[in-house]
Amino acid sequence: MRRRAVLTAAVAAFLPGTVMAAPKAEPWPRWAAHDPHATHDVDHSAWDALLIRHRKDAADGIARFDYDALAASPEDRAALGAYLTALAGIAISRYARDAQMAFWIDLYNALTVDIVVRHWPVASIRDIRISPGWFSVGPWGRKAVAVEGEELSLDDIEHRILRPLWNDPRVHYAVNCASLGCPNLPPRAVTAANLEAVLARGAAEFVAHPRAFRIDGGRLRVSSIYEWFKADFGGTDAGVIAHLRAHAAPARADALAGFARIDGHDYDWSINRARGSAL
């Protein structure tokens, strides 16, 4: 079933007007192991430093990443590579749940940046067609890292670990797919200590932005995230709207009060490059 969903998403990318399907959340039981008594955390300082240097806030509320600057810096590329190697060497199943969730979020985001930089310049992450299969679109299906001896893809991390094992829809506001339509890349590395704050801030900031939802002529349009992953947001239009209202500021929440259905969805797959960086 998961393979069929991936294929549907791939074919949809070539068929304008087709609703893109997303992989279902199917738990990988092997990654449910954890130590509830563990107090140690993962060192994410290298990723934190790279975010401070290369993640850029923009006036339109959409954070960008300076892939051009990172690609041109041997020191920073080496730092990113060393960070990913260090994460791959961690026995993450021996950590507590908050440290684990932070680990998987940071690993996903750092891997995404690394993949984009390795193929830079690109206009969209979907142009990095390295996933297996004839109709592959994007890098998400490609095995990109090994943790505790298991080869993992970005799809594995998001759809077989983060989504099903934590069952928290706010994870969609923390993982970044290098696109303008995606929720912002967190400004700092995620840790066990700041995890809840990162998830809460990510949800509030995205829902506050027009790319999460807008009302045009009395019709409600939302981010395609809420269509692709509707099951994570209650499974119905009403569930999505309730989620949006729960995380919106009062004025935005009140604007949704009269809506019971969603009339359309949009998503911008353009690369979230820093303004002025090369393509």
Side-chain angles (χ1 to χ4, degrees):
M1 183 63 71
R2 181 172 177 273
R3 185 176 302 172
R4 184 185 307 166
V6 174
L7 179 59
T8 302
V11 173
F14 294 98
L15 300 176
T18 302
V19 176
M20 184 174 127
K24 290 185 177 180
E26 296 181 348
W28 192 341
R30 176 257 189 278
W31 296 110
H34 64 285
D35 182 353
H37 305 295
T39 57
H40 46 285
D41 200 357
V42 178
D43 181 5
H44 295 290
S45 58
W47 178 232
D48 198 58
L50 290 169
L51 287 170
I52 291 170
R53 282 197 289 278
H54 298 297
R55 181 196 178 277
K56 312 292 183 182
D57 286 316
D60 62 2
I62 303 177
R64 268 72 167 181
F65 196 89
D66 198 341
Y67 301 105
D68 191 57
L70 179 56
S73 171
E75 295 81 10
D76 284 353
R77 292 192 66 173
L80 178 57
Y83 170 68
L84 290 171
T85 298
L87 292 191
I90 290 173
I92 194 60
S93 60
R94 299 176 185 172
Y95 285 67
R97 297 291 276 163
D98 282 356
Q100 287 180 335
M101 190 178 193
F103 170 91
W104 293 117
I105 291 170
D106 284 331
L107 178 58
Y108 185 99
N109 289 335
L111 273 176
T112 298
V113 167
D114 184 64
I115 290 168
V116 171
V117 169
R118 287 176 183 272
H119 294 84
W120 190 254
V122 291
S124 170
I125 192 172
R126 295 197 301 176
D127 296 335
I128 306 174
R129 292 175 177 158
I130 60 175
S131 297
W134 290 350
F135 299 102
S136 65
V137 174
W140 300 287
R142 173 81 169 265
K143 300 298 183 181
V145 67
V147 178
E148 295 189 12
E150 298 282 3
E151 293 284 337
L152 299 166
S153 66
L154 291 170
D155 269 350
D156 290 330
I157 296 171
E158 182 176 7
H159 308 302
R160 301 185 68 195
I161 300 175
L162 281 169
R163 288 175 61 212
L165 296 183
W166 275 271
N167 196 31
D168 187 335
R170 296 177 302 168
V171 73
H172 293 289
Y173 305 121
V175 294
N176 182 269
C177 67
S179 303
L180 293 180
C182 190
N184 289 340
L185 179 67
R188 304 291 296 267
V190 186
T191 66
N194 71 11
L195 174 63
E196 177 58 31
V198 168
L199 295 174
R201 175 180 173 179
E205 287 187 348
F206 188 67
V207 171
H209 197 274
R211 70 192 190 281
F213 76 87
R214 68 183 191 277
I215 299 168
D216 291 331
R219 299 169 70 86
L220 176 63
R221 296 189 67 85
V222 301
S223 165
S224 296
I225 290 172
Y226 302 115
E227 177 64 27
W228 299 331
F229 302 105
K230 185 176 285 186
D232 295 358
F233 298 98
T236 64
D237 284 4
V240 171
I241 293 168
H243 171 87
L244 293 171
R245 294 193 70 192
H247 293 282
R252 295 265 290 166
D254 289 346
L256 291 169
F259 288 92
R261 56 174 284 179
I262 294 168
D263 293 305
H265 57 94
D266 306 286
Y267 197 84
D268 187 348
W269 280 106
S270 302
I271 199 77
N272 62 336
R273 67 185 183 99
R275 297 188 185 281
S277 94
L279 276 182

